[in-house]
Every structure is written in structure tokens, then in C-alpha cells.
PDB file of all heavy atoms in Angstrom:
ATOM      1  N   LEU F   1      -5.923   0.313 -11.132  1.00 96.00           N
ATOM      2  CA  LEU F   1      -4.624  -0.004 -10.560  1.00 96.00           C
ATOM      3  C   LEU F   1      -4.581  -1.502 -10.044  1.00 96.00           C
ATOM      4  O   LEU F   1      -5.446  -1.926  -9.291  1.00 96.00           O
ATOM      5  CB  LEU F   1      -4.337   0.932  -9.392  1.00 96.00           C
ATOM      6  CG  LEU F   1      -2.954   0.895  -8.786  1.00 96.00           C
ATOM      7  CD1 LEU F   1      -1.847   1.286  -9.775  1.00 96.00           C
ATOM      8  CD2 LEU F   1      -2.860   1.814  -7.571  1.00 96.00           C
ATOM      9  N   GLY F   2      -3.593  -2.256 -10.580  1.00 94.00           N
ATOM     10  CA  GLY F   2      -3.583  -3.655 -10.359  1.00 94.00           C
ATOM     11  C   GLY F   2      -2.514  -4.148  -9.376  1.00 94.00           C
ATOM     12  O   GLY F   2      -2.738  -5.024  -8.508  1.00 94.00           O
ATOM     13  N   VAL F   3      -1.358  -3.512  -9.370  1.00 93.00           N
ATOM     14  CA  VAL F   3      -0.224  -3.915  -8.511  1.00 93.00           C
ATOM     15  C   VAL F   3       0.411  -2.703  -7.826  1.00 93.00           C
ATOM     16  O   VAL F   3       0.665  -1.697  -8.502  1.00 93.00           O
ATOM     17  CB  VAL F   3       0.866  -4.693  -9.328  1.00 93.00           C
ATOM     18  CG1 VAL F   3       2.045  -5.006  -8.533  1.00 93.00           C
ATOM     19  CG2 VAL F   3       0.239  -5.911 -10.023  1.00 93.00           C
ATOM     20  N   VAL F   4       0.695  -2.807  -6.564  1.00 93.00           N
ATOM     21  CA  VAL F   4       1.344  -1.775  -5.813  1.00 93.00           C
ATOM     22  C   VAL F   4       2.463  -2.374  -5.019  1.00 93.00           C
ATOM     23  O   VAL F   4       2.365  -3.302  -4.277  1.00 93.00           O
ATOM     24  CB  VAL F   4       0.384  -1.117  -4.768  1.00 93.00           C
ATOM     25  CG1 VAL F   4       1.150  -0.119  -3.903  1.00 93.00           C
ATOM     26  CG2 VAL F   4      -0.774  -0.344  -5.570  1.00 93.00           C
ATOM     27  N   ASP F   5       3.693  -1.842  -5.254  1.00 93.00           N
ATOM     28  CA  ASP F   5       4.912  -2.336  -4.550  1.00 93.00           C
ATOM     29  C   ASP F   5       5.427  -1.138  -3.772  1.00 93.00           C
ATOM     30  O   ASP F   5       5.951  -0.178  -4.315  1.00 93.00           O
ATOM     31  CB  ASP F   5       5.921  -2.750  -5.553  1.00 93.00           C
ATOM     32  CG  ASP F   5       7.179  -3.430  -4.923  1.00 93.00           C
ATOM     33  OD1 ASP F   5       7.157  -3.585  -3.693  1.00 93.00           O
ATOM     34  OD2 ASP F   5       8.023  -3.855  -5.671  1.00 93.00           O
ATOM     35  N   LEU F   6       5.318  -1.191  -2.407  1.00 94.00           N
ATOM     36  CA  LEU F   6       5.699  -0.052  -1.485  1.00 94.00           C
ATOM     37  C   LEU F   6       7.029  -0.298  -0.911  1.00 94.00           C
ATOM     38  O   LEU F   6       7.325  -1.421  -0.400  1.00 94.00           O
ATOM     39  CB  LEU F   6       4.631   0.040  -0.483  1.00 94.00           C
ATOM     40  CG  LEU F   6       3.163   0.427  -1.045  1.00 94.00           C
ATOM     41  CD1 LEU F   6       2.180   0.351   0.076  1.00 94.00           C
ATOM     42  CD2 LEU F   6       3.172   1.712  -1.761  1.00 94.00           C
ATOM     43  N   PRO F   7       7.850   0.694  -0.799  1.00 95.00           N
ATOM     44  CA  PRO F   7       9.325   0.543  -0.348  1.00 95.00           C
ATOM     45  C   PRO F   7       9.415   0.400   1.207  1.00 95.00           C
ATOM     46  O   PRO F   7       8.481   0.721   1.937  1.00 95.00           O
ATOM     47  CB  PRO F   7       9.960   1.836  -0.815  1.00 95.00           C
ATOM     48  CG  PRO F   7       8.852   2.832  -0.793  1.00 95.00           C
ATOM     49  CD  PRO F   7       7.559   2.077  -1.217  1.00 95.00           C
ATOM     50  N   ASP F   8      10.641  -0.050   1.629  1.00 94.00           N
ATOM     51  CA  ASP F   8      10.855  -0.217   3.042  1.00 94.00           C
ATOM     52  C   ASP F   8      10.883   1.193   3.757  1.00 94.00           C
ATOM     53  O   ASP F   8      10.735   1.243   5.009  1.00 94.00           O
ATOM     54  CB  ASP F   8      12.270  -0.881   3.282  1.00 94.00           C
ATOM     55  CG  ASP F   8      12.319  -2.321   2.821  1.00 94.00           C
ATOM     56  OD1 ASP F   8      11.221  -2.919   2.760  1.00 94.00           O
ATOM     57  OD2 ASP F   8      13.356  -2.777   2.471  1.00 94.00           O
ATOM     58  N   SER F   9      11.065   2.151   3.055  1.00 96.00           N
ATOM     59  CA  SER F   9      11.108   3.595   3.677  1.00 96.00           C
ATOM     60  C   SER F   9       9.739   4.015   4.152  1.00 96.00           C
ATOM     61  O   SER F   9       9.647   4.914   4.971  1.00 96.00           O
ATOM     62  CB  SER F   9      11.657   4.575   2.671  1.00 96.00           C
ATOM     63  OG  SER F   9      10.801   4.622   1.470  1.00 96.00           O
ATOM     64  N   LEU F  10       8.690   3.441   3.647  1.00 96.00           N
ATOM     65  CA  LEU F  10       7.341   3.918   3.880  1.00 96.00           C
ATOM     66  C   LEU F  10       6.972   3.691   5.364  1.00 96.00           C
ATOM     67  O   LEU F  10       7.027   2.585   5.912  1.00 96.00           O
ATOM     68  CB  LEU F  10       6.361   3.203   3.071  1.00 96.00           C
ATOM     69  CG  LEU F  10       4.846   3.657   3.098  1.00 96.00           C
ATOM     70  CD1 LEU F  10       4.824   5.143   2.654  1.00 96.00           C
ATOM     71  CD2 LEU F  10       3.927   2.823   2.282  1.00 96.00           C
ATOM     72  N   LYS F  11       6.543   4.783   6.073  1.00 95.00           N
ATOM     73  CA  LYS F  11       6.129   4.733   7.459  1.00 95.00           C
ATOM     74  C   LYS F  11       4.645   4.811   7.731  1.00 95.00           C
ATOM     75  O   LYS F  11       4.079   4.149   8.670  1.00 95.00           O
ATOM     76  CB  LYS F  11       6.859   5.884   8.210  1.00 95.00           C
ATOM     77  CG  LYS F  11       8.303   5.988   8.098  1.00 95.00           C
ATOM     78  CD  LYS F  11       9.002   4.775   8.740  1.00 95.00           C
ATOM     79  CE  LYS F  11      10.590   4.917   8.622  1.00 95.00           C
ATOM     80  NZ  LYS F  11      11.253   3.724   9.096  1.00 95.00           N
ATOM     81  N   ASP F  12       3.950   5.477   6.849  1.00 96.00           N
ATOM     82  CA  ASP F  12       2.514   5.839   7.138  1.00 96.00           C
ATOM     83  C   ASP F  12       1.690   5.734   5.876  1.00 96.00           C
ATOM     84  O   ASP F  12       2.024   6.372   4.908  1.00 96.00           O
ATOM     85  CB  ASP F  12       2.478   7.223   7.771  1.00 96.00           C
ATOM     86  CG  ASP F  12       1.082   7.617   8.264  1.00 96.00           C
ATOM     87  OD1 ASP F  12       0.118   6.781   8.104  1.00 96.00           O
ATOM     88  OD2 ASP F  12       0.979   8.722   8.745  1.00 96.00           O
ATOM     89  N   ILE F  13       0.641   5.008   5.996  1.00 96.00           N
ATOM     90  CA  ILE F  13      -0.367   4.896   4.919  1.00 96.00           C
ATOM     91  C   ILE F  13      -1.655   5.433   5.493  1.00 96.00           C
ATOM     92  O   ILE F  13      -2.209   4.935   6.523  1.00 96.00           O
ATOM     93  CB  ILE F  13      -0.649   3.462   4.382  1.00 96.00           C
ATOM     94  CG1 ILE F  13       0.656   2.896   3.786  1.00 96.00           C
ATOM     95  CG2 ILE F  13      -1.713   3.469   3.381  1.00 96.00           C
ATOM     96  CD1 ILE F  13       0.507   1.513   3.400  1.00 96.00           C
ATOM     97  N   GLY F  14      -2.200   6.528   4.926  1.00 96.00           N
ATOM     98  CA  GLY F  14      -3.412   7.213   5.535  1.00 96.00           C
ATOM     99  C   GLY F  14      -4.720   6.430   5.296  1.00 96.00           C
ATOM    100  O   GLY F  14      -4.767   5.467   4.505  1.00 96.00           O
ATOM    101  N   ASP F  15      -5.692   6.944   5.911  1.00 96.00           N
ATOM    102  CA  ASP F  15      -7.048   6.341   5.817  1.00 96.00           C
ATOM    103  C   ASP F  15      -7.504   6.294   4.343  1.00 96.00           C
ATOM    104  O   ASP F  15      -7.352   7.323   3.636  1.00 96.00           O
ATOM    105  CB  ASP F  15      -8.082   7.133   6.602  1.00 96.00           C
ATOM    106  CG  ASP F  15      -7.823   7.120   8.133  1.00 96.00           C
ATOM    107  OD1 ASP F  15      -7.085   6.296   8.529  1.00 96.00           O
ATOM    108  OD2 ASP F  15      -8.395   7.975   8.817  1.00 96.00           O
ATOM    109  N   ASN F  16      -8.130   5.235   3.894  1.00 97.00           N
ATOM    110  CA  ASN F  16      -8.677   5.027   2.611  1.00 97.00           C
ATOM    111  C   ASN F  16      -7.694   5.387   1.440  1.00 97.00           C
ATOM    112  O   ASN F  16      -8.077   5.653   0.373  1.00 97.00           O
ATOM    113  CB  ASN F  16      -9.843   6.017   2.441  1.00 97.00           C
ATOM    114  CG  ASN F  16     -10.892   5.724   3.428  1.00 97.00           C
ATOM    115  OD1 ASN F  16     -11.572   4.758   3.420  1.00 97.00           O
ATOM    116  ND2 ASN F  16     -11.128   6.723   4.319  1.00 97.00           N
ATOM    117  N   ALA F  17      -6.405   5.148   1.744  1.00 96.00           N
ATOM    118  CA  ALA F  17      -5.345   5.534   0.757  1.00 96.00           C
ATOM    119  C   ALA F  17      -5.567   4.774  -0.584  1.00 96.00           C
ATOM    120  O   ALA F  17      -5.414   5.417  -1.642  1.00 96.00           O
ATOM    121  CB  ALA F  17      -4.017   5.187   1.259  1.00 96.00           C
ATOM    122  N   PHE F  18      -5.911   3.541  -0.574  1.00 96.00           N
ATOM    123  CA  PHE F  18      -6.153   2.732  -1.761  1.00 96.00           C
ATOM    124  C   PHE F  18      -7.578   2.160  -1.780  1.00 96.00           C
ATOM    125  O   PHE F  18      -7.816   1.200  -2.578  1.00 96.00           O
ATOM    126  CB  PHE F  18      -5.113   1.604  -1.878  1.00 96.00           C
ATOM    127  CG  PHE F  18      -3.802   2.070  -2.088  1.00 96.00           C
ATOM    128  CD1 PHE F  18      -2.917   2.294  -0.969  1.00 96.00           C
ATOM    129  CD2 PHE F  18      -3.177   2.297  -3.342  1.00 96.00           C
ATOM    130  CE1 PHE F  18      -1.622   2.724  -1.133  1.00 96.00           C
ATOM    131  CE2 PHE F  18      -1.947   2.726  -3.450  1.00 96.00           C
ATOM    132  CZ  PHE F  18      -1.086   2.925  -2.454  1.00 96.00           C
ATOM    133  N   SER F  19      -8.467   2.699  -1.126  1.00 95.00           N
ATOM    134  CA  SER F  19      -9.872   2.206  -1.084  1.00 95.00           C
ATOM    135  C   SER F  19     -10.534   2.488  -2.445  1.00 95.00           C
ATOM    136  O   SER F  19     -10.215   3.479  -3.151  1.00 95.00           O
ATOM    137  CB  SER F  19     -10.672   2.806   0.032  1.00 95.00           C
ATOM    138  OG  SER F  19     -10.936   4.164  -0.234  1.00 95.00           O
ATOM    139  N   GLY F  20     -11.408   1.536  -2.820  1.00 94.00           N
ATOM    140  CA  GLY F  20     -11.995   1.697  -4.078  1.00 94.00           C
ATOM    141  C   GLY F  20     -11.242   1.267  -5.315  1.00 94.00           C
ATOM    142  O   GLY F  20     -11.585   1.503  -6.390  1.00 94.00           O
ATOM    143  N   CYS F  21      -9.965   0.757  -5.071  1.00 94.00           N
ATOM    144  CA  CYS F  21      -9.154   0.275  -6.158  1.00 94.00           C
ATOM    145  C   CYS F  21      -9.594  -1.172  -6.554  1.00 94.00           C
ATOM    146  O   CYS F  21      -8.981  -2.147  -6.017  1.00 94.00           O
ATOM    147  CB  CYS F  21      -7.717   0.313  -5.736  1.00 94.00           C
ATOM    148  SG  CYS F  21      -7.076   2.012  -5.476  1.00 94.00           S
ATOM    149  N   GLN F  22     -10.616  -1.306  -7.292  1.00 92.00           N
ATOM    150  CA  GLN F  22     -11.272  -2.518  -7.524  1.00 92.00           C
ATOM    151  C   GLN F  22     -10.424  -3.605  -8.231  1.00 92.00           C
ATOM    152  O   GLN F  22     -10.691  -4.854  -8.029  1.00 92.00           O
ATOM    153  CB  GLN F  22     -12.581  -2.245  -8.345  1.00 92.00           C
ATOM    154  CG  GLN F  22     -13.590  -1.371  -7.602  1.00 92.00           C
ATOM    155  CD  GLN F  22     -14.749  -0.965  -8.488  1.00 92.00           C
ATOM    156  OE1 GLN F  22     -14.795  -1.258  -9.697  1.00 92.00           O
ATOM    157  NE2 GLN F  22     -15.702  -0.247  -7.861  1.00 92.00           N
ATOM    158  N   SER F  23      -9.513  -3.111  -9.000  1.00 94.00           N
ATOM    159  CA  SER F  23      -8.623  -4.087  -9.756  1.00 94.00           C
ATOM    160  C   SER F  23      -7.383  -4.505  -8.984  1.00 94.00           C
ATOM    161  O   SER F  23      -6.611  -5.260  -9.493  1.00 94.00           O
ATOM    162  CB  SER F  23      -8.255  -3.447 -11.121  1.00 94.00           C
ATOM    163  OG  SER F  23      -9.373  -3.110 -11.870  1.00 94.00           O
ATOM    164  N   LEU F  24      -7.166  -3.926  -7.766  1.00 93.00           N
ATOM    165  CA  LEU F  24      -5.955  -4.175  -7.055  1.00 93.00           C
ATOM    166  C   LEU F  24      -5.869  -5.737  -6.641  1.00 93.00           C
ATOM    167  O   LEU F  24      -6.708  -6.215  -5.914  1.00 93.00           O
ATOM    168  CB  LEU F  24      -5.910  -3.299  -5.781  1.00 93.00           C
ATOM    169  CG  LEU F  24      -4.549  -3.206  -5.076  1.00 93.00           C
ATOM    170  CD1 LEU F  24      -3.460  -2.625  -6.031  1.00 93.00           C
ATOM    171  CD2 LEU F  24      -4.695  -2.318  -3.871  1.00 93.00           C
ATOM    172  N   ARG F  25      -4.930  -6.368  -7.143  1.00 91.00           N
ATOM    173  CA  ARG F  25      -4.806  -7.820  -6.834  1.00 91.00           C
ATOM    174  C   ARG F  25      -3.464  -8.175  -6.132  1.00 91.00           C
ATOM    175  O   ARG F  25      -3.317  -9.339  -5.685  1.00 91.00           O
ATOM    176  CB  ARG F  25      -4.818  -8.594  -8.218  1.00 91.00           C
ATOM    177  CG  ARG F  25      -3.675  -8.284  -9.158  1.00 91.00           C
ATOM    178  CD  ARG F  25      -3.721  -8.991 -10.518  1.00 91.00           C
ATOM    179  NE  ARG F  25      -2.660  -8.767 -11.433  1.00 91.00           N
ATOM    180  CZ  ARG F  25      -2.504  -7.732 -12.143  1.00 91.00           C
ATOM    181  NH1 ARG F  25      -3.469  -6.773 -12.193  1.00 91.00           N
ATOM    182  NH2 ARG F  25      -1.448  -7.616 -12.947  1.00 91.00           N
ATOM    183  N   GLN F  26      -2.528  -7.271  -6.131  1.00 91.00           N
ATOM    184  CA  GLN F  26      -1.237  -7.556  -5.395  1.00 91.00           C
ATOM    185  C   GLN F  26      -0.697  -6.312  -4.722  1.00 91.00           C
ATOM    186  O   GLN F  26      -0.568  -5.299  -5.376  1.00 91.00           O
ATOM    187  CB  GLN F  26      -0.217  -8.126  -6.401  1.00 91.00           C
ATOM    188  CG  GLN F  26       1.111  -8.404  -5.770  1.00 91.00           C
ATOM    189  CD  GLN F  26       2.129  -8.971  -6.779  1.00 91.00           C
ATOM    190  OE1 GLN F  26       1.745  -9.723  -7.701  1.00 91.00           O
ATOM    191  NE2 GLN F  26       3.340  -8.586  -6.686  1.00 91.00           N
ATOM    192  N   VAL F  27      -0.366  -6.418  -3.469  1.00 90.00           N
ATOM    193  CA  VAL F  27       0.273  -5.321  -2.713  1.00 90.00           C
ATOM    194  C   VAL F  27       1.422  -5.807  -1.994  1.00 90.00           C
ATOM    195  O   VAL F  27       1.358  -6.783  -1.189  1.00 90.00           O
ATOM    196  CB  VAL F  27      -0.778  -4.691  -1.703  1.00 90.00           C
ATOM    197  CG1 VAL F  27      -0.117  -3.555  -0.917  1.00 90.00           C
ATOM    198  CG2 VAL F  27      -2.045  -4.121  -2.424  1.00 90.00           C
ATOM    199  N   THR F  28       2.598  -5.194  -2.184  1.00 90.00           N
ATOM    200  CA  THR F  28       3.777  -5.546  -1.434  1.00 90.00           C
ATOM    201  C   THR F  28       4.140  -4.346  -0.519  1.00 90.00           C
ATOM    202  O   THR F  28       4.306  -3.217  -0.995  1.00 90.00           O
ATOM    203  CB  THR F  28       4.951  -5.791  -2.352  1.00 90.00           C
ATOM    204  OG1 THR F  28       4.587  -6.904  -3.261  1.00 90.00           O
ATOM    205  CG2 THR F  28       6.200  -6.220  -1.574  1.00 90.00           C
ATOM    206  N   ILE F  29       4.186  -4.636   0.774  1.00 89.00           N
ATOM    207  CA  ILE F  29       4.503  -3.601   1.780  1.00 89.00           C
ATOM    208  C   ILE F  29       5.909  -3.777   2.303  1.00 89.00           C
ATOM    209  O   ILE F  29       6.245  -4.923   2.746  1.00 89.00           O
ATOM    210  CB  ILE F  29       3.396  -3.642   2.883  1.00 89.00           C
ATOM    211  CG1 ILE F  29       2.075  -3.357   2.240  1.00 89.00           C
ATOM    212  CG2 ILE F  29       3.733  -2.627   3.928  1.00 89.00           C
ATOM    213  CD1 ILE F  29       0.930  -3.459   3.185  1.00 89.00           C
ATOM    214  N   GLY F  30       6.659  -2.741   2.377  1.00 86.00           N
ATOM    215  CA  GLY F  30       7.998  -2.802   2.998  1.00 86.00           C
ATOM    216  C   GLY F  30       8.038  -3.027   4.470  1.00 86.00           C
ATOM    217  O   GLY F  30       7.029  -2.873   5.174  1.00 86.00           O
ATOM    218  N   SER F  31       9.225  -3.236   4.964  1.00 89.00           N
ATOM    219  CA  SER F  31       9.454  -3.567   6.368  1.00 89.00           C
ATOM    220  C   SER F  31       9.367  -2.426   7.346  1.00 89.00           C
ATOM    221  O   SER F  31       9.225  -2.577   8.485  1.00 89.00           O
ATOM    222  CB  SER F  31      10.820  -4.205   6.574  1.00 89.00           C
ATOM    223  OG  SER F  31      11.852  -3.357   6.179  1.00 89.00           O
ATOM    224  N   GLY F  32       9.422  -1.203   6.777  1.00 90.00           N
ATOM    225  CA  GLY F  32       9.426  -0.028   7.702  1.00 90.00           C
ATOM    226  C   GLY F  32       8.142   0.524   8.066  1.00 90.00           C
ATOM    227  O   GLY F  32       7.958   1.505   8.805  1.00 90.00           O
ATOM    228  N   LEU F  33       7.001  -0.046   7.603  1.00 92.00           N
ATOM    229  CA  LEU F  33       5.671   0.506   7.874  1.00 92.00           C
ATOM    230  C   LEU F  33       5.291   0.473   9.305  1.00 92.00           C
ATOM    231  O   LEU F  33       5.336  -0.552   9.975  1.00 92.00           O
ATOM    232  CB  LEU F  33       4.666  -0.262   7.027  1.00 92.00           C
ATOM    233  CG  LEU F  33       3.234   0.359   6.999  1.00 92.00           C
ATOM    234  CD1 LEU F  33       3.213   1.669   6.327  1.00 92.00           C
ATOM    235  CD2 LEU F  33       2.266  -0.610   6.237  1.00 92.00           C
ATOM    236  N   ALA F  34       4.895   1.613   9.823  1.00 91.00           N
ATOM    237  CA  ALA F  34       4.541   1.782  11.290  1.00 91.00           C
ATOM    238  C   ALA F  34       3.055   2.023  11.503  1.00 91.00           C
ATOM    239  O   ALA F  34       2.512   1.589  12.523  1.00 91.00           O
ATOM    240  CB  ALA F  34       5.335   2.912  11.869  1.00 91.00           C
ATOM    241  N   LEU F  35       2.401   2.706  10.576  1.00 90.00           N
ATOM    242  CA  LEU F  35       1.040   2.984  10.749  1.00 90.00           C
ATOM    243  C   LEU F  35       0.208   2.873   9.498  1.00 90.00           C
ATOM    244  O   LEU F  35       0.527   3.300   8.430  1.00 90.00           O
ATOM    245  CB  LEU F  35       0.886   4.455  11.199  1.00 90.00           C
ATOM    246  CG  LEU F  35      -0.510   5.048  11.463  1.00 90.00           C
ATOM    247  CD1 LEU F  35      -1.257   4.280  12.588  1.00 90.00           C
ATOM    248  CD2 LEU F  35      -0.430   6.545  11.783  1.00 90.00           C
ATOM    249  N   VAL F  36      -0.957   2.054   9.608  1.00 90.00           N
ATOM    250  CA  VAL F  36      -1.817   1.823   8.470  1.00 90.00           C
ATOM    251  C   VAL F  36      -3.209   2.424   8.864  1.00 90.00           C
ATOM    252  O   VAL F  36      -3.800   1.962   9.914  1.00 90.00           O
ATOM    253  CB  VAL F  36      -1.958   0.408   8.123  1.00 90.00           C
ATOM    254  CG1 VAL F  36      -2.971   0.226   6.992  1.00 90.00           C
ATOM    255  CG2 VAL F  36      -0.586  -0.145   7.732  1.00 90.00           C
TER     256      VAL F  36
END
């Protein structure tokens, strides 16, 4: 997985949600995120 674009609606990203994604080079996080 290389790119992740998360919406403004997203409130919660759980522990280790994207851990081990070695190819991840770009993450866009929306404005509504409250808990990581």
C-alpha cells in the first residue's frame, strides 16, 4: 500500500492500523480526526 487518503468524517484510527505498511509514502488525514 503506497497512498492513503482519509476523509474528514474519520474520527478514530486504532492502534497499529497501518503499521507494517512498508511502501506507504503518502497519507492524507481529514480535519475531523479526534483519536489516533
Side-chain angles (χ1 to χ4, degrees):
L1 189 60
V3 177
V4 174
D5 189 359
L6 301 174
D8 292 337
S9 61
L10 186 64
K11 304 296 183 185
D12 187 356
I13 299 177
D15 295 345
N16 300 294
F18 292 92
S19 68
C21 295
Q22 300 172 353
S23 300
L24 195 60
R25 63 184 185 275
Q26 179 181 322
V27 178
T28 302
I29 298 177
S31 59
L33 189 63
L35 180 62
V36 179

